[in-house]
Amino acid sequence: MSLPGTAARFPSFRHGIHPAGHKESTAGLAIEHLPLFSHYLLPLGQHIGAPSVPVVSVGDGVIRGQLLAEPGGFVSTGLHAPVTGHVSHIGPRRHPNGHLVPAIEIRADPFADDRPPPPSPTHAAGMDLGDFVKFVQKGGMVGMGGAAFPTHVKYALPPGRRIRRLVVNGAECEPYLSADHRLMLERPEAILRGTAIVAEQLGVEAVYLGIEANKLDALDALERARCGFPDLDVLQLVPLAVKYPQGAEKMLIKAITGLVVPAGKLPLDVETVVNNVGTMAAIADLFDLGKPLLERVVTVAGSGVRRPANMLVPLGTSVRDVLEACGGISEDTSMVIMGGPMMGMPLASLDVPVLKGTSGIIALAAKDVRVSGTYGCVRCGRCLQACANFLNPSRLGRLAAVGRYQEMQKHYLMDCMECGACSYVCPSGIPLVQLFRMSKAEIRNREVAT
Amino acid sequence: MSTVALAAAIMTGLGLSFAIVLAVAFKFLHVPEDPRIAHVEELLPGSNCGACGKPGCRAFAEQVVAGAALPGLCTVTGVEGVQAIADYLGVDAGSTEKRVARLHCAGGAAHARGIAAYEGLRSCAAAALVGAGGKACSWGCLGLADCQVACSFDAIHMNDEGLPVVDIHKCTACGDCVRACPRDLFVIEPFSLKLVVQCRVPLKGDQATALCSVACDGCARCELDAAPGLIHMENNLPVVAPHREGDAGPKATYRCPTGAIQWVEGRQFEAEDAVERPSRRPHALFG
């Protein structure tokens, strides 16, 4: 028997960690719009999979929402102009991952008509699944939780397979981030509308929307909004325990349905598809307004930010511009992370664009950044208690340090989702996830070489 | 007393009979082996580095004696050693050209622009995955000494600029550093090829020099100044044609605006050993 108000009341998964939330600085702040900036930069590879292929050339005038690049393969998506202007450059520009990669640069037209165009809805009801998948792909939809996996790929079912459950992910378990929270509070209708479209297309039997229990106001907002969606009577709003990584696909499925996705398998193998609430809202806009993915909500927070905020940011806006719109960063800022602090990437430069998967920009002052030395493994086993995939990070780390990569694969390295829970709890400060990423990269290189 | 004598007799008898069995087995189950294999193996360095592509020095010796490989394939033995093996076996030594590992980057701390400080595992492979290691250039040397760790011959030492200095006398061209470098910057080249392109940036002009002051900006002056056909431009970088060491001269480097192409006599970079911080290397984390 647990006390009311404790985590144990709500369903969850086993293992995991409880990092400090830090969400209070932005959770109460309504989503703001950014002013127009002069340049927008769209890297061609900002999703998982093949880079997009440009269909415009330097000097072309583009209007907001126009297709700039079409999908470069099946696991790839379209890219659209976030603002009206002209293409000023196509070539190598710095990606948030630090590398110089091909990108399309748009110089914005300051005198362009900024009013949203009249909605041009597409009716999803009559579409067959193949057309639906193509439409979503061309609309540039990716998983907006952070991974930026092309959404349409999840809907393209291999023959003979079906999806019975749709799980909408409103967990937002990363510390600092409140973008999904605000979206659920301010646009619950759009989220439910997108959910209804996808649920109908896939013909699912059950729809769940999971929200961590620290956002029960969002749950209320969705509960109030759902009366407008009589088709969604199968929808269940599920409050979840506040625990990291609750928003990971496999953990979410386990918490809500009790199903376990086996090692090396996908949610599809348990007839389930998981989508972020941001993706659902974007799909609603795609069908109801004819608006492809042009902008997203980004949480700007952390001890280095002068004025934390939730911003609706056009894709391609530079991180420097976004931070300056938030009053700039303080002098003692020592690290800026794109995404959440657990899984995001530290930025080497502020002159990089906001991508489709950018859920947050976290600037941390030096006092909040641990750059302590690392010590030897003391075999305490805390990482085993933390790993939600039931891996043995200590052993994997030991193998990674001496380069025994094949053995690591036998210990299910490829099932590691790099959530960072093991690194977080390690009392010796061993950068376990970095070792695993390094090992995965090495394994992939060797596979390519052979 | 007789018990003691009996025990001694039994033990002696047993020992004698086993000795006879072993002697017979040695005589009749003997596997004849070419005595030259052992001798060749002795002449080989015994480092088992794998540069010849065989599982070890013993396997290589077997193949050399069988005539399946030429002694020159072993880059570690050195010219005299290879000749000694060839003379002993009375075979052709094969190619004994001295080859060394060369870094196709000269962007040390003094030249390559840094944009962020990397604080993580002291390993190039790890740094390459985080903000491209904090350097503006996505192609250059990360300077965290994965090659130095990989080198089994102690031939690579990082200098104070963060560039690996290859000791040309110790380098055996085994290729371990080539595999260790996440940016694929090491190339095994004939030592007699002195024209070395020390850059991998595929960009042109200001875009390249904005990253590093010794980057190749793709001006192609070296192509014009070298013997015809010796250098051609590929991906905005000069490529020196193979097997034409005789045609090459330092003239091709004279008009290079950045010094990206160099005439290398001896080692590539100045050697001044860097201060090591071994505690944050991956293999030091698990005691």
Side-chain angles (χ1 to χ4, degrees):
Chain A
M1 184 68 195
S2 56
L3 293 166
T6 56
R9 276 171 60 208
F10 300 108
S12 192
F13 59 99
R14 283 182 63 202
H15 290 183
I17 55 171
H18 297 276
H22 294 294
K23 289 175 189 272
E24 59 289 341
S25 69
T26 55
L29 302 175
I31 299 170
E32 297 172 42
H33 287 254
L34 273 179
L36 186 75
F37 295 104
S38 63
H39 283 84
Y40 292 82
L41 188 64
L42 297 127
L44 295 172
Q46 51 179 294
H47 45 259
I48 291 175
S52 313
V53 182
V55 293
V56 290
S57 33
V58 176
D60 287 1
V62 291
I63 54 167
R64 183 175 147 90
Q66 183 183 333
L67 188 73
L68 293 178
E70 57 189 16
F74 178 64
V75 187
S76 181
T77 67
L79 207 55
H80 303 79
V83 290
T84 300
H86 70 270
V87 180
S88 57
H89 178 85
I90 299 178
R93 284 284 187 267
R94 201 167 297 283
H95 187 280
N97 70 12
H99 290 278
L100 293 158
V101 297
I104 300 174
E105 193 178 71
I106 308 274
R107 181 180 278 268
D109 174 4
F111 304 110
D113 185 0
D114 218 21
R115 283 173 300 183
S120 54
T122 308
H123 290 291
M127 272 187 177
D128 72 51
L129 190 62
D131 291 340
F132 177 76
V133 166
K134 281 204 190 92
F135 192 72
V136 171
Q137 180 182 27
K138 208 164 178 208
M141 296 298 145
V142 300
M144 312 253 299
F149 184 75
T151 302
H152 68 278
V153 179
K154 294 182 179 177
Y155 304 152
L157 295 176
R161 306 292 283 276
R162 65 163 302 184
I163 290 174
R164 291 178 197 281
R165 293 167 212 90
L166 170 66
V167 176
V168 182
N169 187 352
E172 197 164 55
C173 57
E174 279 259 12
Y176 289 101
L177 302 187
S178 59
D180 289 351
H181 184 187
R182 290 312 305 183
L183 195 71
M184 287 188 281
L185 284 175
E186 296 178 32
R187 299 193 64 204
E189 300 82 11
I191 292 166
L192 294 175
R193 172 77 185 127
T195 308
I197 291 171
V198 174
E200 195 197 334
Q201 270 296 327
L202 298 178
V204 294
E205 293 159 6
V207 183
Y208 305 95
L209 200 155
I211 300 176
E212 273 193 358
N214 56 1
K215 294 182 269 290
L216 291 176
D217 51 344
L219 197 87
D220 290 343
L222 286 158
E223 191 66 60
R224 277 197 299 277
R226 71 178 294 176
C227 60
F229 297 88
D231 299 351
L232 270 181
D233 52 346
V234 287
L235 172 70
Q236 288 182 49
L237 298 170
V238 189
L240 301 165
V242 182
K243 187 154 85 168
Y244 183 87
Q246 185 69 75
E249 273 189 340
K250 292 184 177 184
M251 281 61 256
L252 195 66
I253 293 172
K254 171 75 179 67
I256 291 180
T257 67
L259 293 167
V260 175
V261 183
K265 301 280 185 175
L266 297 169
L268 177 64
D269 293 295
V270 292
E271 301 178 321
T272 306
V273 66
V274 180
N275 280 140
N276 184 264
V277 285
T279 314
M280 291 290 101
I283 283 180
D285 290 348
L286 176 67
F287 282 93
D288 290 350
L289 307 176
K291 187 178 108 182
L293 190 59
L294 303 178
E295 53 198 4
R296 64 156 300 138
V297 185
V298 177
T299 300
V300 187
S303 48
V305 177
R306 292 226 165 84
R307 188 178 68 83
N310 290 300
M311 293 277 191
L312 187 67
V313 182
L315 300 177
T317 312
S318 93
V319 169
R320 191 181 296 280
D321 289 341
V322 176
L323 285 171
E324 261 159 34
C326 295
I329 51 177
S330 60
E331 275 97 44
D332 60 345
T333 301
S334 77
M335 189 189 246
V336 178
I337 301 168
M338 180 173 275
M342 298 298 291
M343 290 191 72
M345 47 185 157
L347 296 179
S349 165
L350 293 182
D351 298 308
V352 294
V354 167
L355 307 178
K356 290 177 180 179
T358 303
S359 44
I361 297 170
I362 314 294
L364 296 173
K367 66 175 168 55
D368 291 332
V369 179
R370 179 177 69 174
V371 202
S372 62
T374 50
Y375 304 91
C377 171
V378 294
R379 294 157 171 86
C380 63
R382 283 190 209 172
C383 50
L384 282 91
Q385 295 294 315
C387 183
N389 272 331
F390 292 83
L391 307 182
N392 183 339
S394 168
R395 166 160 290 184
L396 285 170
R398 201 176 300 273
L399 294 171
V402 291
R404 282 153 73 174
Y405 303 122
Q406 278 181 335
E407 233 169 302
M408 291 178 79
Q409 278 173 285
K410 284 183 198 144
H411 287 96
Y412 304 99
L413 170 68
M414 291 311 186
D415 277 291
C416 168
M417 56 191 171
E418 303 171 13
C419 71
C422 51
S423 305
Y424 180 84
V425 296
C426 181
S428 290
I430 298 175
L432 289 157
V433 173
Q434 201 183 6
L435 284 167
F436 303 156
R437 281 190 184 165
M438 190 176 105
S439 309
K440 284 181 177 178
E442 181 63 24
I443 288 166
R444 272 184 227 113
N445 287 346
R446 288 184 185 184
E447 273 168 8
V448 170
T450 51
Chain B
M1 189 63 198
S2 64
T3 336
V4 175
L6 186 67
I10 289 171
M11 291 312 290
T12 317
L14 271 175
L16 213 63
S17 52
F18 284 138
I20 290 164
V21 171
L22 282 175
V24 170
F26 182 72
K27 187 81 188 157
F28 291 99
L29 302 178
H30 176 67
V31 180
E33 194 203 66
D34 196 330
R36 294 179 302 169
I37 293 176
H39 188 75
V40 170
E41 198 188 352
E42 253 170 56
L43 292 172
L44 288 171
S47 59
N48 295 323
C49 67
C52 55
K54 310 292 179 292
C57 291
R58 171 79 188 182
F60 180 64
E62 282 167 10
Q63 296 213 359
V64 169
V65 170
L70 291 176
L73 212 54
C74 178
T75 53
V76 186
T77 323
V79 180
E80 298 83 20
V82 168
Q83 201 53 51
I85 298 171
D87 291 346
Y88 172 70
L89 294 174
V91 296
D92 180 24
S95 158
T96 55
E97 190 178 33
K98 166 85 178 157
R99 295 189 304 159
V100 289
R102 289 215 181 104
L103 192 75
H104 281 206
C105 172
H111 298 290
R113 189 162 68 89
I115 51 174
Y118 168 73
E119 291 281 355
L121 280 175
R122 304 298 295 172
S123 158
C124 308
L129 301 173
V130 186
K135 270 191 176 179
C137 175
S138 322
W139 298 272
C141 174
L142 292 157
L144 295 171
D146 278 13
C147 48
Q148 181 179 329
V149 174
C151 183
S152 358
F153 298 97
D154 194 31
I156 299 179
H157 290 274
M158 303 305 287
N159 68 8
D160 55 350
E161 258 199 63
L163 286 173
V165 181
V166 180
D167 183 330
I168 51 171
H169 302 296
K170 286 186 185 167
C171 176
T172 61
C174 70
D176 280 352
C177 51
V178 177
R179 281 182 289 278
C181 182
R183 296 255 162 107
D184 291 330
L185 290 171
F186 268 112
V187 179
I188 304 291
E189 289 179 342
F191 183 60
S192 56
L193 176 69
K194 297 197 163 68
L195 211 49
V196 183
V197 182
Q198 298 186 144
C199 186
R200 277 283 172 78
V201 177
L203 305 179
K204 223 177 154 143
D206 290 350
Q207 285 193 346
T209 47
L211 303 177
C212 176
S213 62
V214 291
C216 170
D217 64 356
C219 69
R221 286 181 192 140
C222 51
E223 182 182 15
L224 296 172
D225 294 351
L230 179 68
I231 294 177
H232 72 279
M233 299 298 288
E234 211 176 284
N235 253 337
N236 293 327
L237 284 169
V239 178
V240 183
H243 312 305
R244 288 191 53 187
E245 291 85 25
D247 295 348
K251 196 179 156 221
T253 66
Y254 292 167
R255 285 205 298 149
C256 180
T258 59
I261 187 164
Q262 287 283 334
W263 184 254
V264 177
E265 309 248 14
R267 63 167 184 239
Q268 273 183 288
F269 310 115
E270 287 305 308
E272 189 157 322
D273 274 6
V275 185
E276 249 297 81
R277 284 198 287 170
S279 66
R280 293 171 67 202
R281 296 214 162 279
H283 59 261
L285 295 178
F286 293 89

